[in-house]
Amino acid sequence: MPPAEPCQAVDDKNLVVAVNKAADEAEIRVGMRRREAEAVCPTVRTIEHDPGAEMARFEQVAVAVESLIPRIEVVMPGLILAPVTGAVRYFGGEGPLVDRVVKEVNAVAGSGFRIGLAAGPFAARRAAEIATDVDPVYVVADDESFRASLEVA
């Protein structure tokens, strides 16, 4: 998706399944109907969702992460879960490991990625969603407190 113009990817049911930053800023949200998104932002560019192509493009990211952390799980294109306990010890702590992952992912995919680091997969995924362009890494110190701080609604 071109970063400068609002873009959305829609599935075969005409539901928005992905948006870029410009579309997000225009208030287009994943889960909207295509026509609703076009009403919110008439200049949005629409592309068809292609999971196979997304996975092919994401594979280089998965390979880069797996070169540092064995036994990763690709949940879907754009989302990797990885058990980091051994890698944290190997690289000498969470900070050095995160620095290496950021370097490797940036080398193959460029900027725009988010990393959430937590003891469990739920907290890690939510942490990645909280991360921003300015600070793409969000480290959760205590999963229980973090989960308690999340809104349920």
Side-chain angles (χ1 to χ4, degrees):
M1 290 186 191
E5 65 179 294
C7 293
Q8 65 182 352
V10 296
D11 64 10
D12 58 346
K13 297 176 186 138
N14 276 326
L15 292 176
V16 176
V17 294
V19 297
N20 68 356
K21 184 177 179 180
D24 184 61
E25 289 171 354
E27 303 296 321
I28 297 174
R29 299 290 178 254
V30 171
M32 280 183 159
R33 291 213 155 288
R34 177 182 182 170
R35 296 288 180 203
E36 180 183 0
E38 290 170 346
V40 169
C41 180
T43 61
V44 67
R45 180 173 167 207
T46 301
I47 59 174
E48 296 298 318
H49 174 60
D50 184 350
E54 287 178 16
M55 192 62 227
R57 285 191 303 271
F58 189 65
E59 184 175 4
Q60 62 186 337
V61 174
V63 168
V65 173
E66 193 166 38
S67 73
L68 302 171
I69 305 167
R71 300 184 333 266
I72 67 166
E73 175 187 350
V74 178
V75 177
M76 62 186 188
L79 179 60
I80 294 173
L81 296 177
V84 298
T85 304
V88 166
R89 279 190 298 242
Y90 181 80
F91 287 100
E94 289 176 352
L97 173 61
V98 169
D99 291 344
R100 285 292 305 272
V101 170
V102 166
K103 179 181 173 188
E104 293 298 318
V105 172
N106 200 31
V108 297
S111 62
F113 58 87
R114 306 273 182 351
I115 296 174
L117 185 62
F122 178 83
R125 187 171 183 170
R126 296 299 165 259
E129 291 171 359
I130 291 171
T132 64
D133 286 340
V134 175
D135 190 9
V137 179
Y138 191 99
V139 178
V140 175
D142 176 32
D143 278 28
E144 188 175 339
S145 297
F146 176 72
R147 286 191 311 264
S149 72
L150 298 173
E151 290 187 29
V152 178

